[in-house]
Amino acid sequence: MTAEAIATGPRAGTAATGERPLRIALLTYKGNPFCGGQGVYVRHLSRELARLGHSVEVIGSQPYPVLDTVGGGGTSRTESGGVTLTELPSLDLYRQPDPFRTPGRGEYRDWVDALEVATMWTGGFPEPLTFSLRARRLLAARRGDFDVVHDNQTLGYGLLAPLGAPLVTTIHHPITVDRQLELDAATSWKRRASVRRWYAFTRMQKRVARRLPSVVTVSGSSRQEIVDHLGVRPERVHVVPIGADTDLWSPGPAVAEVPGRIVTTSSADVPLKGLVYLIEALAKLRTEVPDAHLVVVGRRAEDGPVARAIERYGLDGAVQFVKGISDTELVDLVRGAQVACVPSLYEGFSLPAAEAMATGTPLVATTGGAIPEVAGPDGETCLAVPPGDAGALAVALGRLLGTGGEELRARLGAAGRARVLDRFTWARAAQGTADRYREAIAARGARR
């Protein structure tokens, strides 16, 4: 569907219920879909909310969201139906090619900019706090423009102020999980001290989360983590699963299958993603399946545990990293793989699992976090293995790539796509999220 059709097409969701369309402010401090799952969430959720007839204004900072939008960027807005972007610029201290840069004197605009730089200089990550302060200022100036404010895991102090509309917050999973895994992987006291300082913002997020009236999360596993790690009351946390764009992520019979190809999505040295275990598994697998090779969608680190594992096992020619490819190229890459793999130690949902399954590519995945909620039962819609177990990964991959694996690949691939179509689509996610908006609006009205 074109952007114009999204903006002006029939309001199926609102027309069916007789409810008026909502004016939604969707906040995202990291909105680019190439920076992780939060950007993918904003892009697809905003589009599907617009298809329901709602007006969505995405308010984001650098790297700016990539949206299916009407009109231009900047401060353009619509009054009914559609998606627009309002840019709320930070100092963009982590941009390439000069991350951790010191801004010039003329770049400072106010005390929030000074706070952003000071936090970066002392080893912290300032963006959740500073974005929330800028968003609070913008929303105060725009009071009355929105029916609901939806925060995409900023969890900054600025959002505790009155915003002129009820607040709904998405927490994909508590970042305290990432923090603990990074600490577990640290090999020196200096590295542990650096990790603790970088993740200092999680203390703020815990305090803010406990005061939120309405939290949306993407899986039952994440819901339990939010209750346990952040102390949010269970009745305030609602599960609305997300999904795949099943028009884009679909089988492609015209795409040739590449023998031995395994595909995964991972930043090289993020411990959470478990890539080092997949590298070890590949080394074991190649003794049985010599043409097995791995394509990693993500950045290659020149040093670190993954680079050292590739060198140790002599896999430099069997592991390829790709980055910056288009959506179509990415889908074709997955379609051409014989196996998709999610080796993560933990996931709050796992979009890569849902997207691979939607193409009909058979999946090997760990049981970390919410992955089983997405991937389904072992032997029915995927092959499931314990997180952090390279041997089990190698065995599962060997079942699919070894002699006689064709029938199992076909069966798991078809069952995986059927599962996604039935449970995990963005249209379902948008409708469930809109329901939470209306509950938050009604609850606020009842308190008055």
Side-chain angles (χ1 to χ4, degrees):
M1 182 178 289
T2 66
E4 290 74 18
I6 292 172
T8 62
R11 298 176 178 180
T14 55
T17 62
E19 297 172 317
R20 71 175 181 85
L22 299 175
R23 300 167 300 161
I24 303 159
L26 177 53
L27 311 181
T28 182
Y29 76 91
K30 281 284 189 193
N32 190 309
F34 302 108
C35 293
Q38 292 189 34
V40 175
Y41 179 79
V42 167
R43 178 180 184 179
H44 293 292
L45 180 65
S46 62
R47 182 193 65 241
E48 295 301 327
L49 286 167
R51 284 178 171 166
L52 291 174
H54 304 296
S55 173
V56 185
E57 183 172 337
V58 177
I59 300 169
S61 64
Q62 303 97 317
Y64 290 119
V66 174
L67 303 172
D68 299 317
T69 116
V70 292
T75 57
S76 62
R77 298 189 295 276
T78 59
E79 294 302 322
S80 61
V83 184
T84 57
L85 172 64
T86 291
E87 295 175 357
L88 191 61
S90 68
L91 289 172
D92 206 9
L93 299 178
Y94 305 101
R95 71 189 185 192
Q96 296 295 334
D98 55 346
F100 301 96
R101 69 188 186 89
T102 296
R105 182 178 299 178
E107 293 184 69
Y108 291 88
R109 296 158 298 191
D110 56 27
W111 67 272
V112 178
D113 289 351
L115 175 64
E116 186 170 356
V117 173
T119 305
M120 183 268 290
W121 278 345
T122 56
F125 181 54
E127 291 183 354
L129 173 58
T130 54
F131 176 80
S132 76
L133 297 171
R134 295 184 181 110
R136 178 184 65 182
R137 189 162 51 199
L138 181 147
L139 292 168
R142 300 272 307 279
R143 190 174 295 273
D145 284 358
F146 304 107
D147 299 305
V148 65
V149 175
H150 183 170
D151 170 41
N152 183 31
Q153 197 152 334
T154 305
L155 298 173
Y157 289 131
L159 301 180
L160 294 178
L163 303 175
L167 176 66
V168 173
T169 300
T170 292
I171 302 178
H172 298 268
H173 73 266
I175 304 301
T176 50
V177 176
D178 306 57
R179 176 184 182 273
Q180 189 57 52
L181 287 169
E182 294 256 15
L183 285 171
D184 292 344
T187 56
S188 69
W189 71 266
K190 287 185 178 180
R191 175 59 183 160
R192 286 190 289 275
S194 176
V195 168
R196 289 190 179 96
R197 175 56 185 145
W198 178 261
Y199 283 103
F201 70 92
T202 59
R203 291 195 293 271
M204 170 189 70
Q205 291 194 325
K206 281 185 178 182
R207 296 184 186 117
V208 172
R210 293 188 185 110
R211 297 175 62 181
L212 295 174
S214 180
V215 173
V216 170
T217 193
V218 296
S219 67
S221 172
S222 284
R223 181 181 185 274
Q224 192 60 52
E225 297 280 359
I226 290 165
V227 172
D228 292 344
H229 287 236
L230 302 183
V232 181
R233 288 162 54 181
E235 65 271 16
R236 294 183 178 181
V237 189
H238 310 279
V239 176
V240 179
I242 53 179
D245 179 348
T246 51
D247 293 330
L248 175 66
W249 294 90
S250 60
V255 177
E257 188 178 82
V258 180
R261 175 185 285 176
I262 305 162
V263 66
T264 193
T265 300
S266 176
S267 297
D269 284 319
V270 177
L272 189 80
K273 298 301 181 182
L275 181 57
V276 70
Y277 299 104
L278 181 54
I279 298 296
E280 183 181 345
L282 179 65
K284 297 175 184 291
L285 175 65
R286 281 170 61 87
T287 63
E288 304 284 338
V289 185
D291 64 354
H293 60 281
L294 177 63
V295 179
V296 182
V297 180
R299 178 183 60 85
R300 177 171 191 156
E302 296 306 317
D303 192 18
V306 170
R308 290 193 291 272
I310 291 172
E311 181 179 4
R312 181 166 65 251
Y313 296 118
L315 294 174
D316 195 56
V319 181
Q320 176 189 2
F321 289 79
V322 297
K323 194 171 183 290
I325 59 178
S326 69
D327 287 347
T328 301
E329 291 170 326
L330 177 57
V331 172
D332 282 347
L333 179 67
V334 176
R335 286 169 172 165
Q338 289 194 307
V339 183
C341 186
V342 177
S344 302
L345 303 183
Y346 176 90
E347 293 281 356
F349 180 78
S350 189
L351 276 171
E355 289 170 344
M357 292 164 71
T359 68
T361 303
L363 178 69
V364 171
T366 71
T367 54
I371 298 173
E373 296 180 49
V374 181
D378 177 37
E380 295 183 21
T381 52
C382 71
L383 294 184
V385 301
D389 190 333
L393 272 174
V395 169
L397 292 167
R399 287 181 61 190
L400 291 169
L401 294 177
T403 303
E406 297 87 351
E407 183 180 344
L408 181 58
R409 291 200 304 270
R411 178 170 64 80
L412 292 181
R417 176 161 174 84
R419 180 177 176 84
V420 171
L421 290 173
D422 182 55
R423 298 169 183 241
F424 304 118
T425 67
W426 285 109
R428 283 177 174 269
Q431 186 59 64
T433 304
D435 291 343
R436 301 284 81 76
Y437 294 159
R438 296 197 187 278
E439 287 180 4
I441 293 167
R444 186 173 189 251
R447 289 193 298 269
R448 287 184 169 179

